[in-house]
């Protein structure tokens, strides 16, 4: 039996879509599924919708209505009280503005039948609504069905939406009602430190709604002061202490998970909100707390994060309290970046970005582009060139104002990254390259027909 826990709070616009996605599963609903709708004092029409479903499916849908608003963690815990009656059942967490693909429960059943020793599993996430597309964490599903956190330390699980849980894991999970964000990551990973494994169910999809009004907790959390100094203590440090208590040390999996999440403070997308929320007087304390956390994380763990080089350098700089930059060495026609002997990236793997054809005076008919890769900021004497059949054309400088800032300070200035170039008419394809002081590095190839219709 599947038991689906759906916290409900002021979601009359979305609730039917969520519930219907469970009712219309390929696995017959009446014999296999129970839904628990926990209405947390909604002030809109959510209660009426809950009652309608309860009336239509009295044996499969259960409704609890709270007179006071307690928060999503309380609602999930309340639903778990019902769901834990039979530990052989499988619980799915579904938020009331999200939905699941129609094969979700059927594929989950097949997975748990195949892996009887796994008590927790998750599915891919796709965004819909104001933003569409796959979640970045979906790469985990490419080559694994079961993650052993003692081996696969760089496979973090943060979310409870789309998470299936049963058996011993079901007995252990509990959400902290005092946490207003990251409560799902805390609850899930406390359980993982005991169970040590979780599954990746390959085919089903959890559809995570990005609301047009940006009222979700994820979108509003960055504007709360509690998301910063207070959270570092209640979130990162608390989970690390718990890990040390359970395992005698902070295992690589927890180190990676914390570092991977901590990097979000350094991302460009969050910098503006961060600087608006944290005052200049509060910033030193905030950085100090980040440093204390990072000092508990090995350099190898930080270097293994799949993110942009300025972020890695920023994390290392915070950890050591001084500016850290990658070492670079030109060898075998490439510029190789490393830290303490560990290779991080290569310039040859980066691409030139084409912005369009120019019609401005002095640049008529020229192709405009930019080479603003995170691993390298072009120097004044560097230049981009194009090459085809042994013929080379050198570009000329074109203005570029792009910069990367972390905590208000420039970490990359791309003022020399913009260029314009006159591509010969008879070229059908060509390859980009960059000329450096030490030599040339060949980059990506461009098919001319693919850019003919581009406009500036």
């Amino acid at each position: 039996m599947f038991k689906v826990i759906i916290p409900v709070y002021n979601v009359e616009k979305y609730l039917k879509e969520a519930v219907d996605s469970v009712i219309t599963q390929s696995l017959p609903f009446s014999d296999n599924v129970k839904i628990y709708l926990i209405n947390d004092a909604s002030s809109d029409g959510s209660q009426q919708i809950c009652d309608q479903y309860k009336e239509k499916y009295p044996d499969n849908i259960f409704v609890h209505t709270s007179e006071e608003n307690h928060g999503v963690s309380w609602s999930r815990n309340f639903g778990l009280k019902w769901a834990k009656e039979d530990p052989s059942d499988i619980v799915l967490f579904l938020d009331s503005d999200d939905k699941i693909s129609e094969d979700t429960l059927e594929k989950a059943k097949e997975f748990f039948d195949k892996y009887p020793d796994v008590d927790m599993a998750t599915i891919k996430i796709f965004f819909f609504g104001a933003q569409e597309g796959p979640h970045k964490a979906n790469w985990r599903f490419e080559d694994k069905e079961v993650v052993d956190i003692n081996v696969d330390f760089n496979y973090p699980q943060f979310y409870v939406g789309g998470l299936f849980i049963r058996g011993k894991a079901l007995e252990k999970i509990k959400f902290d009602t005092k946490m207003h964000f990251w409560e799902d990551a805390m609850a899930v990973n406390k359980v993982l430190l005991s169970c040590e494994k979780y599954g990746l169910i390959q085919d089903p999809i959890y559809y995570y709604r990005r609301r047009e009004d940006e009222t979700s907790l994820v979108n509003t959390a960055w504007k709360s002061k509690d998301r910063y100094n207070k959270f570092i203590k209640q979130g990162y440090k608390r989970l690390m202490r718990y890990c040390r208590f359970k395992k005698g040390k902070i295992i690589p999996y927890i180190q990676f998970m914390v570092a991977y999440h901590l990097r979000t403070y350094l991302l460009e997308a969050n910098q503006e909100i961060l600087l608006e929320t944290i005052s200049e007087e509060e910033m030193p304390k905030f950085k100090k707390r980040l440093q204390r956390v990072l000092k508990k994380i090995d350099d190898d763990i930080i270097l293994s994060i799949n993110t942009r080089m300025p972020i890695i350098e920023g994390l290392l700089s915070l950890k050591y309290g001084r500016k850290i930059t990658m070492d670079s060495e030109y060898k075998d026609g490439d510029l190789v970046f490393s830290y303490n002997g560990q290779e991080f990236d290569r310039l040859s793997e980066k691409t030139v970005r084409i912005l369009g054809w120019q019609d401005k005076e002095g640049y008529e008919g020229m192709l405009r582009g930019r080479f603003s890769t995170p691993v390298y900021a072009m120097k004044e004497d560097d230049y981009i060139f194009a090459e085809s059949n042994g013929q080379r054309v050198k570009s000329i400088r074109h203005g570029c104002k792009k910069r990367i800032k972390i905590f208000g300070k420039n970490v990359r200035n791309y003022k020399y990254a913009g260029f314009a170039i006159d591509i010969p008419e008879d070229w059908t394809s060509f390859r980009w390259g960059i000329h450096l002081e030490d030599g040339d590095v060949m980059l990506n190839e461009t098919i001319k027909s693919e850019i003919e219709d581009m406009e500036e």
Side-chain angles (χ1 to χ4, degrees):
M1 178 67 70
F2 284 93
K3 295 180 176 179
V4 183
I5 297 175
I6 306 179
V8 176
Y9 181 68
N10 289 346
V11 283
E12 62 178 356
K13 290 169 58 178
Y14 314 116
L15 182 57
K16 288 184 179 180
E17 196 170 3
V19 176
D20 287 344
S21 75
V22 180
I23 293 173
T24 58
Q25 287 288 297
S26 58
L27 204 64
F29 178 65
S30 59
D31 297 329
N32 296 281
V33 188
K34 291 182 179 180
I35 298 176
Y36 298 95
L37 299 172
I38 316 300
N39 183 14
D40 193 21
S42 296
S43 58
D44 63 355
S46 296
Q47 181 63 47
Q48 289 89 333
I49 295 172
C50 291
D51 292 339
Q52 290 169 7
Y53 278 108
K54 170 62 179 174
E55 183 177 354
K56 189 173 182 179
Y57 303 98
D59 297 326
N60 296 85
I61 294 182
F62 304 88
V63 178
H64 175 80
T65 304
S66 173
E67 295 182 0
E68 297 182 25
N69 180 257
H70 300 282
V72 66
S73 291
W74 180 91
S75 297
R76 287 171 180 155
N77 287 338
F78 193 95
L80 282 167
K81 291 179 182 179
W82 275 336
K84 286 181 178 180
E85 292 175 358
D86 187 346
S88 66
D89 291 340
I90 302 171
V91 170
L92 168 67
F93 295 98
L94 174 63
D95 285 350
S96 52
D97 53 354
D98 300 337
K99 59 184 179 180
I100 53 176
S101 60
E102 65 180 10
D103 61 344
T104 297
L105 300 186
E106 182 179 359
K107 294 298 183 180
K109 183 179 184 303
E110 292 175 2
F111 175 88
F112 285 116
D113 287 344
K114 183 179 180 180
Y115 297 103
D117 62 330
V118 177
D119 287 336
M120 187 183 296
T122 190
I123 61 178
K124 296 176 184 176
I125 296 176
F126 276 73
F127 298 112
F128 75 110
Q131 176 188 345
E132 296 184 355
H135 193 285
K136 290 181 179 180
N138 288 353
W139 65 267
R140 295 175 298 164
F141 295 80
E142 293 176 3
D143 58 0
K144 284 186 181 296
E145 285 190 301
V146 176
V147 172
D148 181 343
I149 66 170
N150 295 310
V151 179
D152 310 308
F153 71 88
N154 57 343
Y155 281 67
Q157 174 61 27
F158 291 98
Y159 307 108
V160 75
L163 183 75
F164 291 90
I165 190 166
R166 67 173 184 176
K168 293 180 180 179
L170 185 59
E171 295 171 8
K172 294 178 180 295
I173 193 164
K174 184 177 181 181
F175 297 90
D176 188 341
T177 58
K178 295 180 180 179
M179 294 185 73
H180 301 297
F181 32 78
W182 222 59
E183 75 287 340
D184 48 353
M186 180 68 73
V188 168
N189 283 280
K190 278 188 171 182
V191 174
L192 268 177
L193 284 171
S194 296
C195 298
E196 298 185 334
K197 293 180 181 180
Y198 76 90
L200 298 168
I201 308 174
Q202 301 297 312
D203 298 321
I205 295 173
Y206 183 94
Y207 291 100
Y208 182 101
R209 187 186 301 272
R210 288 293 197 189
R211 296 194 195 180
E212 297 286 349
D213 57 6
E214 297 186 343
T215 56
S216 71
L217 286 175
V218 174
N219 289 324
T220 58
W222 284 97
K223 299 178 182 179
S224 169
K225 279 190 178 293
D226 288 349
R227 180 68 178 77
Y228 301 92
N229 285 316
K230 184 177 180 180
F231 169 71
I232 294 170
K233 180 180 180 181
Q234 291 186 341
Y236 302 147
K237 295 178 74 172
R238 185 174 162 206
L239 181 59
M240 291 171 126
R241 284 197 304 270
Y242 183 82
C243 180
R244 187 181 284 114
F245 169 74
K246 293 291 291 185
K247 300 291 187 181
K249 61 180 181 179
I250 304 173
I251 63 172
Y253 171 82
I254 294 298
Q255 289 186 43
F256 183 90
M257 186 194 158
V258 170
Y260 187 85
H261 190 269
L262 189 150
R263 93 194 196 289
T264 59
Y265 286 113
L266 279 63
L267 296 178
E268 281 184 85
N270 299 324
Q271 284 296 299
E272 184 176 346
I273 298 175
L274 185 151
L275 293 174
E276 290 175 355
T277 307
I278 299 294
S279 68
E280 190 174 340
E281 292 76 19
E282 294 169 316
M283 188 61 73
K285 181 180 179 181
F286 173 59
K287 289 183 178 180
K288 193 70 175 178
R289 289 193 170 182
L290 290 178
Q291 182 184 45
R292 288 171 181 163
V293 171
L294 287 166
K295 282 186 175 295
K296 296 178 173 65
I297 299 172
D298 296 338
D299 288 352
D300 289 350
I301 299 293
I302 295 173
L303 289 166
S304 69
I305 299 173
N306 183 20
T307 191
R308 307 202 308 173
M309 198 163 86
I311 304 301
I312 299 295
E313 291 175 337
L315 292 171
L316 292 170
S317 297
L318 278 171
K319 177 178 178 178
Y320 291 107
R322 55 185 173 84
K323 187 175 182 180
I324 299 290
T325 56
M326 295 284 178
D327 298 322
S328 61
E329 181 184 3
Y330 183 84
K331 58 182 180 181
D332 301 326
D334 206 348
L335 193 62
V336 180
F337 301 92
S338 61
Y339 180 73
N340 283 349
Q342 180 175 334
E343 183 177 321
F344 180 77
D345 213 337
R346 288 174 173 260
L347 192 61
S348 61
E349 297 173 356
K350 309 309 166 187
T351 59
V352 170
R353 182 183 177 191
I354 301 171
L355 302 177
W357 297 93
Q358 280 280 26
D359 58 5
K360 296 179 181 178
E361 185 177 354
Y363 298 98
E364 294 91 340
M366 301 182 78
L367 192 64
R368 184 187 165 208
R370 188 167 67 204
F371 188 58
S372 54
T373 169
V375 303
Y376 184 74
M378 290 179 63
K379 300 174 183 177
E380 187 174 6
D381 293 332
D382 297 342
Y383 60 83
I384 295 293
F385 61 86
E387 190 171 281
S388 179
N389 295 322
Q391 182 182 0
R392 177 176 293 190
V393 178
K394 179 182 175 181
S395 68
I396 61 174
R397 189 79 63 204
H398 194 290
C400 179
K401 297 181 180 179
K402 182 176 173 59
R403 299 181 180 187
I404 296 179
K405 291 187 176 184
I406 295 179
F407 300 140
K409 294 183 178 180
N410 285 328
V411 294
R412 288 289 188 277
N413 187 342
Y414 294 112
K415 64 179 179 178
Y416 301 122
F419 67 89
I421 190 168
D422 192 4
I423 300 295
E425 291 185 7
D426 61 338
W427 283 13
T428 57
S429 66
F430 52 92
R431 192 174 179 188
W432 297 104
I434 180 172
H435 174 77
L436 310 173
E437 180 182 0
D438 295 320
D440 298 337
V441 177
M442 301 309 296
L443 305 168
N444 55 301
E445 185 178 14
T446 292
I447 308 299
K448 195 175 181 182
S449 61
E450 296 176 355
I451 60 172
E452 289 290 353
D453 296 331
M454 290 186 66
E455 295 181 2
E456 176 61 20

